[in-house]
Amino acid sequence: MRSDALIPTHPGLAEALGQSEAFLAFQEELSRVAKVDRPVLLVGERGTGKELAAARLHFLSRRWQGPFVILDGASLSPSLAEAELFGHEAGAFTGAAMRRPGRFERADGGTLFLDEAGNLPLSVQDKLLRVVEYGQYERVGGTQRLEADVRIVAATNADLPGLVRQGRFRADLLDRLAFCVLHLPPLRARGDDVLLLAEHFATRFAMEAGLPEPEFSTQARRALLTYAWPGNIRELRNTVERSVLRAEGGTITTLDFTPFASPWQHGPAVHADATAVSTPAGGGATPGPASAPDTAPTDAAMQHGDSGTATTAHAAPPGPQAWTQGTTLPDAVRHLEEDALRGALARTRHNRRAAAELLGLTYDQFRGLYRRHRDAIEKT
């Protein structure tokens, strides 16, 4: 369970970066709402930065010098949720040896951020409604009525009106929390903010890892902009940092969108928006869209999983160029290796693990070969 955040320099504030119209419109609305001391409900997909938005609401409000306390509703069991929120007296239940203040007491004069509010138990929702309406509560096992000078900011990625219809969330509590509902824009709606954030995450991670400042190739930048980012900013950060580490601080040409794809599975894993490799009847491997190969592949050549990835069987690398008079054998081998690397990377949309599998190499063997020919490959 996350601990209280009481320091104005919240670690996530520096990552509120963006220049897109959707991002700026949201920030403008957030700044306007921050001045009004009323509950706010933040709605957004996973990874869109709801906790960061709640922290900005707090530090832009008149309560900015007070505590900013976080409670994750998803981590609460029904038996402990009430005590976590409202505190308990000594002897209130087995193991309660002394009085313990709840999150409302700790947040007095500041902001209480209820993350994953849709997961709050119904028994707690009843008492939470009273706090929101009257600003009063009692500790578990106590009779003294306490005053709560707290602003509540709740967040969810669930359909709260739908939960109300299912009887899993109180309609009157939703009415009180929904004084102002702010919808966080998903990353796919923020255009070039993807590149801005990617460069920020890449530079910061390189500094932490002691690597040279990285840069993204044209292909990598295009991939960043065309990917759907279902995990939003959190997924972008993980993908970028993983790619910086694998590029060892150099030019990032490959973005691994599918880290769970095993390098030992039957065929390389190619992301759903990538170009798959189909094997026509003639035997040579030709690139083509996964959904429309020229001829039907065999059962082993193409399998679709629930994750939206396509799995292809081994396909032959590009054939060697004819040896020409005056070409030395080392030069011929070098050209063959460069052509094979280019072809495999093109067919797997620069997924290095998939390219290694395509060429029948281990990932370490592929990386060594790629380092040897990196300059020649990246020039083309």
Side-chain angles (χ1 to χ4, degrees), residues 14-15 59 62 75 91 93 108 119-121 140 166 198 208 237 242 246 296 319 332 335:
E15 293 174 13
F59 292 119
R62 66 175 180 83
S75 66
F93 50 83
D108 188 62
N119 292 323
L120 289 172
V140 176
Q166 298 171 22
E208 293 176 0
R237 176 176 176 176
R242 189 163 56 236
R246 290 178 178 174
H335 288 308

Side-chain angles (χ1 to χ4, degrees), residues 28 141 208 281 288 303 306 316:
E28 182 179 353
E208 293 176 0
Q303 301 170 352
D306 294 336

